[in-house]
Amino acid sequence: MQDKDEKSLHLIKILGEIITEVREKKGISVNKLANEYGLNDSNLGKIEKALIECKFVTLWRIAEALNLK
């Protein structure tokens, strides 16, 4: 991950935790979520672990896939 300020890193981490929590509560695996909604499963896993940043469009697709507003 490129150098980021502390607030950005915190946001990326929280976002990943929220995605993981919601996905797991719905009983959906990373692979299933990625495959059904045209996402890259490797990148989705990295987003959840806060290893990479998530583009807004990707975040939107994840939110739609998880039925989040």
Side-chain angles (χ1 to χ4, degrees), residues 37-39 47 53-65:
Y37 292 93
L39 303 166
I47 291 167
E53 285 187 47
C54 182
K55 291 183 180 180
F56 182 77
V57 172
T58 304
L59 178 58
W60 188 276
R61 293 175 76 192
I62 293 169
E64 285 186 328

Side-chain angles (χ1 to χ4, degrees), residues 1 12 42-54:
M1 188 179 304
I12 293 165
S42 176
N43 285 344
L44 181 56
K46 289 176 183 177
I47 291 167
E48 288 188 354
K49 294 174 185 168
L51 298 175
I52 62 171
E53 285 187 47
C54 182

Side-chain angles (χ1 to χ4, degrees), residues 4-56:
K4 299 289 176 189
D5 63 53
E6 194 172 316
K7 289 181 183 180
S8 294
L9 291 173
H10 182 69
L11 177 62
I12 293 165
K13 182 179 178 189
I14 296 299
L15 180 61
E17 290 172 357
I18 292 169
I19 293 169
T20 302
E21 181 180 330
V22 172
R23 179 184 55 73
E24 288 177 348
K25 281 184 180 179
K26 293 181 179 272
I28 304 170
S29 71
V30 171
N31 289 337
K32 181 177 179 179
L33 182 67
N35 290 334
E36 289 185 7
Y37 292 93
L39 303 166
N40 181 300
D41 59 342
S42 176
N43 285 344
L44 181 56
K46 289 176 183 177
I47 291 167
E48 288 188 354
K49 294 174 185 168
L51 298 175
I52 62 171
E53 285 187 47
C54 182
K55 291 183 180 180
F56 182 77

